[in-house]
Amino acid sequence: MEHHVDVAPGVRLWAEERGDPAAPALLLVMGAQASGLTWPDSLLDALARRHRVIRYDHRDTGRSTWSFAEHPYPIVELAADAVKLLDALDVARAHVVGMSMGGMLTQLLLLDHPERVATATFVGTPPMDGGPADAPGPDPELLAYWETMLQPRDRAAEIAWRVEHWSILNGGELPFDAEEFRRREERIMDHAGRHDNTGAHAQASQDGLDRATELKATTTPALVVDSPADPIAGTAAARHLAALLGNARLVTVPGLGHALSEAVGPGLAEVILDHTTAHEPTGRP
């Protein structure tokens, strides 16, 4: 089932749900510049056996409104979008799974809207304070590649750029199927009706994200997935985030990087479901 939800004047989000509408809701929050279609279908299908799974496109991705160039917004506004989406879909409380920047938004939800979050799961998520001072930063190869992100490219070149990007993000421990990610990016471009990358989320203000010290007071059950091969938020970041949160446990998925393939979907779903089913919300889904 697809939805189009107005979250602000002139801003409409695309969302999709699968699974039993009466099951406990689970909201998937993707990372920067990533459409909701970036979540692997194998993960969604496994989660939908127990949950009403909701995924969506952030502003400036997929079929949602692309307007950053005319109306810039801060990253924190994307967290407000998630709450408005839950309102529109009549979801009082949801399990929330955040990937990368989506995990940053989930940290904001824990702080500002804890009553809306049954459990929180963080995958490949940098802590709000950037992590421990002695932790390694992003892989230099990745930083160099990001320098080319906004260069203009035709569709074929953009697909090639994104596939290589996913290859670097994969981290080198688990097998990488370039054809799988090529098909996914083609689908995402067809879904969006465009192939360009505006880099909106990379350019958006990060004001309001310096709230790491507040996380210790959170009581929502949280799961931090340690992705040891992640070139952005690896083991040191995961351990630091788990320590910052007031009620968190850490689970390692061996070999996991920052790219979610169809192959890792079922195993990751099992880890998430172990967490969510242990803390089912009461009341309506």
Side-chain angles (χ1 to χ4, degrees):
M1 181 183 299
E2 291 186 272
H3 304 277
H4 297 275
V5 175
D6 294 321
V7 295
V11 179
R12 177 170 291 181
L13 301 185
W14 173 90
E16 177 192 69
E17 56 180 291
R18 67 180 70 181
D20 183 354
L26 186 149
L27 179 68
L28 295 171
V29 188
M30 198 13 94
Q33 297 305 141
S35 162
L37 269 62
T38 306
W39 295 103
D41 285 332
S42 62
L43 174 69
L44 269 70
D45 290 340
L47 294 174
R49 296 188 186 106
R50 296 189 188 179
H51 289 290
R52 172 191 177 189
V53 179
I54 302 164
R55 64 174 171 176
Y56 68 102
D57 292 336
H58 293 296
R59 304 182 190 198
D60 291 274
T61 72
R63 291 183 182 171
S64 292
T65 301
W66 294 57
S67 61
F68 183 83
E70 297 79 22
H71 304 287
Y73 48 81
I75 290 295
V76 296
E77 193 66 27
L78 300 180
D81 287 352
V83 175
K84 293 173 184 176
L85 175 63
L86 293 178
D87 290 343
L89 299 184
D90 198 29
V91 175
R93 198 163 178 242
H95 300 281
V96 181
V97 179
M99 171 72 193
S100 195
M101 182 196 74
M104 297 283 285
L105 303 181
T106 303
Q107 292 173 61
L108 290 173
L109 296 181
L110 288 183
L111 294 176
D112 297 331
H113 303 278
E115 75 285 354
R116 308 301 296 272
V117 185
T119 68
T121 299
F122 301 92
V123 183
T125 298
M128 280 187 173
D129 63 0
D134 58 350
D139 187 294
E141 179 187 10
L142 180 60
L143 292 175
Y145 202 72
W146 281 348
E147 291 294 323
T148 66
M149 180 184 296
L150 301 184
Q151 293 177 359
R153 288 178 283 269
D154 62 21
R155 178 180 167 113
E158 179 64 19
I159 290 174
W161 188 96
R162 294 188 191 184
V163 172
E164 179 60 22
H165 187 216
W166 285 122
S167 176
I168 298 170
L169 292 175
N170 192 57
E173 292 191 19
L174 295 179
F176 180 75
D177 184 344
E179 187 56 33
E180 173 192 330
F181 282 86
R182 180 180 303 279
R183 290 193 302 268
R184 185 183 300 175
E185 288 302 332
E186 289 174 344
R187 182 183 172 203
I188 287 170
M189 290 179 184
D190 290 343
H191 168 73
R194 56 193 294 174
H195 71 270
D196 57 322
N197 179 358
T198 64
H201 302 156
Q203 300 175 67
S205 168
Q206 297 191 18
D207 290 349
L209 294 180
D210 54 344
R211 301 175 61 187
T213 58
E214 300 175 44
L215 292 171
K216 184 56 71 175
T218 60
T219 59
T220 303
L223 174 70
V224 179
V225 176
D226 169 22
S227 43
D230 192 327
I232 295 177
T235 296
R239 290 176 176 171
H240 187 73
L241 177 58
L244 286 174
L245 292 160
N247 184 15
R249 64 187 182 96
L250 184 72
V251 174
T252 299
V253 176
L256 185 63
H258 206 77
L260 301 182
S261 67
E262 294 293 344
V264 305
L268 182 58
E270 183 177 355
V271 169
I272 295 169
L273 289 171
D274 283 346
H275 179 56
T276 61
T277 55
H279 304 281
E280 289 293 2
T282 58
R284 65 177 181 170

